[in-house]
Amino acid sequence: MSVNGVTSNQATTACSYSAAGNIKAENNTTENTKSESSSANVGAVYEPSSETASTGKATYKPDTNLINKMKADADARTAQLRSLVEKMMTGQANAYGKANDIWSFLSSGNYTVDPATRKQAQADIAEDGYWGVEQTSDRIIDFAKALTGGDPDKIEDMRAAFEKGFKKAGAAWGRSLPDISQRTYDAVMEKFDKMAEESKKQTATAAANTAASQDPTR
């Protein structure tokens, strides 16, 4: 059912945001401990501090504005989902009452959907839809970049956070996630792979340029 595609991808995104946020918080604690700084804030989560001045290593800071914007957008979409569920619950209270929560109610498929809602859901999970594979995977990657400030050293941390979030979404769903969620998972992993590959190329290019600049014969 198309509504399941919308809600399952929303669950995947929400759980991924939560897991990534936890990774960020853990890294923040680690960095603060290493630098023995009690005044460090969110803006310095991934800043290598003392190493920056001595080694010239790039400084990476979370994009707080983008993070807040994406969280606000997620909250708004969740509110829309709850409104949708409330409308579907009309005359279906018994089905909802037997479910443990909103996700198990939706995953059960034990409800009817009016034509207008079905049409909107189909548009939302279409190839170019907000909850389609491309847009959803792009938002997850953008959120990961915003949290890390684009730090290539944190790519695998964010990948692990996404995998953890995906598993949490599956647990919340109560059974196997719909196909669109698996395709979104695959798209996110491919984009993480691409980020890692681009990072390796940039590192190799930088190393070559450094070696060339230090070569006295050039």
Side-chain angles (χ1 to χ4, degrees):
M1 183 176 293
S2 55
V3 172
N4 278 357
V6 173
T7 54
S8 65
N9 254 9
Q10 185 171 38
T12 297
T13 301
C15 290
S16 296
Y17 281 8
S18 175
N22 289 338
I23 290 290
K24 181 210 70 173
E26 292 168 2
N27 281 335
N28 185 28
T29 300
T30 300
E31 291 299 327
N32 287 344
T33 300
K34 288 181 178 180
S35 62
E36 297 181 354
S37 172
S38 61
S39 62
N41 55 36
V42 174
V45 174
Y46 293 112
E47 184 174 351
S49 61
S50 60
E51 289 186 354
T52 304
S54 61
T55 67
K57 184 179 179 180
T59 299
Y60 301 96
K61 296 183 179 180
D63 187 337
T64 305
N65 290 334
L66 180 56
I67 291 171
N68 291 336
K69 181 179 179 181
M70 296 185 76
K71 284 183 176 180
D73 180 63
D75 288 342
R77 292 284 174 167
T78 298
Q80 289 179 358
L81 172 62
R82 290 190 179 282
S83 177
L84 173 67
V85 173
E86 288 172 358
K87 290 179 181 178
M88 291 194 304
M89 282 172 57
T90 303
Q92 303 176 68
N94 186 52
Y96 183 75
K98 293 180 179 179
N100 295 324
D101 53 36
I102 186 175
W103 299 116
S104 58
F105 168 69
L106 291 169
S107 67
S108 71
N110 187 25
Y111 51 82
T112 58
V113 182
D114 63 88
T117 299
R118 183 183 296 276
K119 182 177 180 181
Q120 181 60 54
Q122 289 173 338
D124 285 343
I125 62 174
E127 186 174 347
D128 59 347
Y130 183 87
W131 290 110
V133 173
E134 282 306 305
Q135 285 200 46
T136 301
S137 59
D138 281 344
R139 281 196 304 278
I140 291 172
I141 292 296
D142 288 344
F143 189 73
K145 289 179 178 179
L147 278 175
T148 64
D151 187 348
D153 291 339
K154 303 300 180 181
I155 292 175
E156 295 311 314
D157 286 343
M158 290 297 101
R159 187 199 296 270
F162 169 68
E163 291 178 322
K164 181 178 180 179
F166 190 81
K167 290 179 180 179
K168 288 178 63 177
W173 197 246
R175 59 189 180 88
S176 298
L177 289 165
D179 177 66
I180 189 173
S181 292
Q182 185 58 55
R183 287 189 287 116
T184 299
Y185 174 91
D186 293 340
V188 171
M189 297 303 280
E190 287 177 5
K191 289 172 183 179
F192 273 127
D193 287 342
K194 184 177 180 180
M195 287 172 61
E197 186 62 30
E198 290 177 347
S199 176
K200 289 179 181 180
K201 290 180 179 179
Q202 291 172 359
T203 299
T205 299
N209 290 340
T210 298
S213 66
Q214 295 175 346
D215 187 346
T217 63
R218 296 192 175 216

